[in-house]
Amino acid sequence: MNLISKALNSLIGPLFSVIDKAVTDKDEANRLKQEIQSQLIESENSIVKAQMQVILAEAQGESWLQRNWRPLLMIVIVAIIANNYLLAPYLGAMFGVGLQLDLPERLWDIMTIGVGGYVGARTADKGISAWREVQSERTRTQASLYREADTK
């Protein structure tokens, strides 16, 4: 969730309480709240779609670096984490030396987003594949029903 979404979501509670106080008709108040929620969801979806288009454009780019800079960044971050929490402590315990690299909090955030993005993309990919399989099976079933009906 990006900063704008967090800010907007933090305003929803106070906004809904204002709607409850200002609008006496409960059905109308609920309709307004639902409309606000729908608009927020729609705006978040458009942000996610725009981000997805940027990533797809990078993945389909002509330059090797353009296609691979995100995975390379993740590999570097993972290497720093492996050094700081696996390699350096053991070297320090065994030989008295172990170089630890500072990993700024922003890089932790990038890693979290990167892993979350990967998991989300894989989940969406599997969901789309499953949906396509269901649609394909439904089409095959309908075709066999039509053939069966034609032969009767």
Side-chain angles (χ1 to χ4, degrees), residues 10-11 26 34 37 45 104 107 137 145:
S10 69
L11 295 174
K26 294 300 175 195
Q34 182 181 5
Q37 286 281 43
N45 285 341
L107 285 181
E137 180 63 30
L145 288 175

Side-chain angles (χ1 to χ4, degrees), residues 12-31:
I12 288 178
L15 180 61
F16 282 4
S17 66
V18 168
I19 289 172
D20 286 336
K21 290 176 186 174
V23 180
T24 57
D25 183 10
K26 294 300 175 195
D27 291 334
E28 181 65 15
N30 288 333
R31 189 192 67 74

Side-chain angles (χ1 to χ4, degrees), residues 32-88:
L32 286 171
K33 290 181 205 176
Q34 182 181 5
E35 181 66 28
I36 290 169
Q37 286 281 43
S38 296
Q39 291 294 325
L40 283 174
I41 291 169
E42 187 176 316
S43 68
E44 286 179 6
N45 285 341
S46 66
I47 290 169
V48 169
K49 286 178 185 176
Q51 291 171 337
M52 182 181 69
Q53 289 173 346
V54 168
I55 292 171
L56 286 174
E58 287 177 355
Q60 296 168 350
E62 293 180 19
S63 166
W64 180 88
L65 187 58
Q66 179 185 7
R67 291 188 310 269
N68 294 300
W69 75 269
R70 289 175 194 266
L72 287 172
L73 177 62
M74 294 301 292
I75 289 169
V76 168
I77 293 171
V78 168
I80 293 170
I81 292 170
N83 174 71
N84 288 354
Y85 296 102
L86 297 174
L87 189 59

